[in-house]
Amino acid sequence: MDSLIAAAARALATGDTLGALKRVALREDPPALALRGIAMAQLGEHPRARELLRRAARGFGNHEALARARCVVAEAEVALAMRDLGWSPRALTAASATLEARADRANAMQARVIAARRLLLLGRLHEAEAAMERIDAHGLPPALAAVAELTRVELALRSLRIGPARAALARAHDAAERARIPALMSEVAEARTALDSPAARRLSADGEQTLRLDEVATLLASGALVVDGCRRGLRVGGQWRSLARRPVLFALAHALAQTWPNDADRESLIADAFRMRRPDDTHRARLRVEIGRLRTLVRGMAHIEATPRGFIFVPCDGQDVVVLAPPIDSDQASLLALLSDGAAWSTSALALALGDSQRTVQRALAELETAERVRSIGRARARRWLAPPLAGFTTILLLPAALPIE
């Protein structure tokens, strides 16, 4: 490695992107191309960065497996920043094994962190946690240690484990202070803000109350029957019943919970679940059928009893019934939560993260664009979607698979 390449690498490691470019901007050899690609990624020029990294990987010979593996890791990180989530992790896993076999522990750990962050974006929390268990931040460069700990913070927050999240946040802060990189310090500050910001609303007969993430965790552990509008399901302690794919049953459960401890009349239930303002006997018959399905689904958590005017929730063990509502009322809340991270998302990446079809996501984006809540850049396959940050609250509970499924 010549002196200019070494100096550019040191500059990139400390966050001095322009200083690195000054040293390698006019060079076309593979090491210089790789460093230029990383520099362009730090400047936000992700398509150009990916092109440079691919050229660098092709330029390294078969005997330079270590350098090629480093390019693969860097390109994977660029893809993550571009929210290109459709790539196979096999190449990254192979690169990580190559780096570890050649004693490049820092880059091997970085590859594992990238894989875990991708799983987090896709809402695959259990797989992300398993990936993070294989990462030991001890002895890593401060910048990489900070990124690893921030990943642990997000994983813990999305699983509503507040204690581990605070501990990981403290470690991330220490590592970011040692790294002295402003962008990392800003990410740590944002994570701390998420802990102290409103995350949901508690609706009950007494009114509405905003809750922080730690308060949401306390509520879910309280033993109350929680109709969760963020995750769209019902929870009692460790029991969880998902209604995300059964909107009629969720609407009925939500309506019954909102009127608890009183009953909900049949006309209101039909209006909420079936969108009918003038019900007839067929709608009342359908209501009985759907209530029967909901009664079966919540068995062991609560009973649903008929009253002269409608139906009522009767929780087991006499616990309370609470509605946990998202901080914003919108059918596209999860979509807005993903877009509010400031990155430019493709339709395919959004569909992967949400578990929906691309056509469903496209229709939702069209509605949000008409309402001027999102905007697009580019055209055709290069089209990406952006949304302004949702200020005043955290979107943790709106992200896909925000709560663990028991």
Side-chain angles (χ1 to χ4, degrees), residues 27-49:
R27 293 178 52 166
E28 293 292 323
D29 53 301
L33 289 174
L35 291 174
R36 281 168 59 195
I38 296 171
M40 296 305 287
Q42 291 184 359
L43 292 174
E45 296 291 336
H46 298 128
R48 178 61 175 158

Side-chain angles (χ1 to χ4, degrees), residues 227-308:
V227 179
D228 187 349
C230 301
R231 191 68 176 84
R232 300 189 73 81
L234 288 83
R235 180 179 291 272
V236 176
Q239 297 183 72
W240 169 255
R241 301 285 190 276
S242 176
L243 296 175
R245 302 292 182 182
R246 306 183 77 171
V248 171
L249 295 189
F250 178 77
L252 289 173
H254 191 274
L256 290 169
Q258 278 195 306
T259 59
W260 188 88
N262 300 314
D263 59 350
D265 65 83
R266 290 174 176 80
E267 285 70 23
S268 297
L269 290 172
I270 291 171
D272 289 336
F274 309 145
R275 309 297 185 193
M276 295 291 178
R277 297 299 174 186
R278 296 180 179 178
D280 55 27
D281 289 341
T282 61
H283 300 125
R284 295 184 184 91
R286 184 185 174 193
L287 175 64
R288 289 194 296 272
V289 171
E290 299 296 347
I291 286 290
R293 290 171 177 165
L294 182 61
R295 185 181 285 125
T296 300
L297 190 140
V298 303
R299 185 174 296 149
M301 303 173 74
H303 306 289
I304 301 177
E305 296 184 355
T307 66

